[in-house]
Amino acid sequence: MYTAHPDRYADMPYRRTGRSGLKLPALSLGLWHNFGPDRPAETQRAILRRAFDLGVTHFDLANNYGPPPGAAESAFGDALKADLAPYRDELIISTKAGYLMWPGPYGEWGSRKYLLSSLDQSLSRMGLDYVDIFYSHRPDPETPLEETMGALHSAVQQGKALYVGVSNYSAEQTREAARILGELGTPLLIHQPRYSMLDRRPEDEGVLDALDELQVGSIVYSPLEQGLLTGRYLDGIPEDSRAASDSPFLNSDAVTEDLVARLRALNEIAASRGQTLAQLALAWVLRGGRVTSALVGASSARQIEDSVAATRNLDFDAEELARIDAVIKG
C-alpha cells in the first residue's frame, strides 16, 4: 500500500497560473511517452509515485497519448486506482483533445461533437468524474473558434473540467480564444506551447508576450527537445536513442556535427553551474518566472529525480544567458 512522502511539498516551487488561484509545480510530469502496454506497469507506477513524493502534483495527458492512442490514460487510471486515489484532491490531472483519435469525421480537430465525446472517453479510461484542466490540443482551421471554445466552456459547466486551456495556438489565436472564453464566463487558464533553448518560437512569434498581456499561465512541452538537451547525444547518436529509432519526433538527420558541438558547449555551461545539461535546459525555460511549469517525461524514477533537481538553481546571471545565446545563435 503506497503512502506518499510526508515532506513531498518541502522543496518543489509552486507558481500561480496566470491570474487564477491555481498553483502548478515548476516541473510537471507528461505522459506523452513511456506510458502504455509496451512498458512494465510497475515501472510506470513507480515513476508516478516517485514524482508525487517529490512534489510533482500535475500529471499531463492527452486522449491520443500511448501508443496505442488512449493507452497512457488507461495506464494512468490503473495507477491512480492502485496508488494515488486517496490523494486525488492533491493532484492536477489534465487531458486534451484535437489530434486523430478514432476514424471518421468526428474523431479529431475542434468540433463540439469531438471534444465533448473525447472528454467522456478520457474520463472513462482514467476512472475520473472530472479533470482539472481540459485543453483544445490544436486549433481547427475549419471550425469556428466560438464552437471550440464553447465546447470547453460546456465541459466546465457540466462539471467535467475545472479549468480550460489551449495548446499549439498562435498569439493571435490565443488572444481570440481568451476573448471568447471571457465572454462566456470561463477564463482561459493556460497555454501549452513547445519551447526550449533550441526552439524559441513562443518568444519570437509573440506567444509569451500575449500570455503576459492576458495574464494567462503557460506550461511548456519538449523543453529537452526530445532528449537532445540531455547528455545522451554529446558523443553522437546512441544505438538505443530516439534519434536512432523510427520516431517521427526526432530522426538521425537532426543530430549534425554542428549540433553536437553546440550541445557540448552547453554542457560546459551546465557543469559550471553544477548542473547536468538537462537540468540547465529546464532551468532556462523556467528562468524569471515567465513560464509557469515545464513538462518532463520520464522512463524511470531516477530520471524524474534528475529533472526535479533542476529546481534547486533557476537563477541565471546576464553573462550565463549571453553565453547560452552565443552557443545557440552562433
Side-chain angles (χ1 to χ4, degrees):
M1 182 78 177
Y2 167 69
T3 301
H5 197 286
D7 295 330
R8 57 190 176 276
Y9 297 115
D11 298 318
M12 174 64 70
Y14 296 88
R15 297 178 169 187
R16 189 169 300 280
T17 311
R19 58 183 173 185
S20 77
L22 184 69
K23 291 183 178 181
L24 292 180
L27 286 179
S28 299
L29 181 62
L31 280 70
W32 183 13
H33 302 295
N34 303 315
F35 287 83
D38 59 337
R39 303 290 175 125
E42 183 50 43
T43 299
Q44 297 173 52
R45 286 175 58 190
I47 293 169
L48 293 167
R49 292 193 302 261
R50 188 60 182 139
F52 188 53
D53 281 344
L54 292 170
V56 176
T57 54
H58 178 212
F59 300 98
D60 179 82
L61 299 104
N63 58 356
N64 64 329
Y65 288 176
E73 289 180 329
S74 295
F76 181 77
D78 291 342
L80 185 69
K81 183 178 180 180
D83 299 318
L84 296 173
Y87 305 98
R88 174 64 182 99
D89 291 339
E90 298 180 46
L91 304 178
I92 302 298
I93 301 169
S94 61
T95 196
K96 315 176 197 73
Y99 287 95
L100 181 64
M101 188 60 192
W102 61 83
Y106 320 118
E108 64 177 325
W109 293 108
S111 72
R112 180 181 182 85
K113 168 70 173 175
Y114 167 64
L115 290 174
L116 295 179
S117 297
S118 177
L119 178 55
D120 283 342
Q121 292 183 22
S122 292
L123 292 173
S124 178
R125 280 189 291 269
M126 292 188 283
L128 294 172
D129 296 322
Y130 70 95
V131 291
D132 296 276
I133 307 170
F134 182 47
Y135 289 87
S136 168
H137 206 165
R138 61 172 172 172
D140 182 346
E142 297 184 351
T143 297
L145 195 56
E146 288 81 1
E147 178 176 342
T148 301
M149 295 303 106
L152 296 185
H153 170 67
S154 291
V156 173
Q157 294 298 103
Q158 293 168 6
K160 296 175 181 178
L162 300 185
Y163 302 92
V164 299
V166 297
S167 182
N168 300 305
Y169 277 51
S170 70
E172 181 180 356
Q173 290 166 334
T174 301
R175 287 189 176 93
E176 183 64 5
R179 182 193 66 77
I180 295 167
L181 284 168
E183 291 179 355
L184 292 171
T186 297
L188 178 62
L189 173 80
I190 195 166
H191 186 300
Q192 187 174 133
R194 180 169 180 155
Y195 182 48
S196 74
M197 287 195 293
L198 298 177
D199 185 349
R200 303 191 182 191
R201 284 175 293 177
E203 288 180 10
D204 299 337
E205 298 173 2
V207 170
L208 294 183
D209 288 338
L211 298 180
D212 289 344
E213 170 193 319
L214 297 166
Q215 293 183 277
V216 168
S218 59
I219 179 167
V220 301
Y221 72 91
S222 293
L224 301 180
E225 279 297 311
Q226 298 295 309
L228 285 177
L229 290 169
T230 69
R232 298 215 71 196
Y233 296 92
L234 296 176
D235 296 310
I237 304 174
E239 291 182 2
D240 61 345
S241 66
R242 187 167 295 160
S245 70
D246 58 356
S247 170
F249 305 109
L250 179 65
N251 59 61
S252 58
D253 292 341
V255 188
T256 63
E257 289 185 9
D258 177 68
L259 176 62
V260 170
R262 292 172 189 268
L263 295 177
R264 289 174 177 167
L266 291 172
N267 191 55
E268 291 178 4
I269 298 172
S272 71
R273 290 169 48 85
Q275 293 181 316
T276 64
L277 177 54
Q279 289 166 351
L280 173 74
L282 293 172
W284 185 88
V285 297
L286 291 167
R287 73 198 187 284
R290 198 177 192 191
V291 166
T292 312
S293 185
L295 276 169
V296 296
S299 59
S300 67
R302 184 177 181 85
Q303 279 191 352
I304 195 70
E305 291 168 359
D306 183 74
S307 294
V308 168
T311 63
R312 297 173 191 157
N313 184 9
L314 300 179
D315 296 325
F316 290 81
D317 60 35
E319 181 183 354
E320 289 173 324
L321 292 173
R323 288 176 64 195
I324 291 168
D325 285 349
V327 169
I328 299 297
K329 299 177 181 179

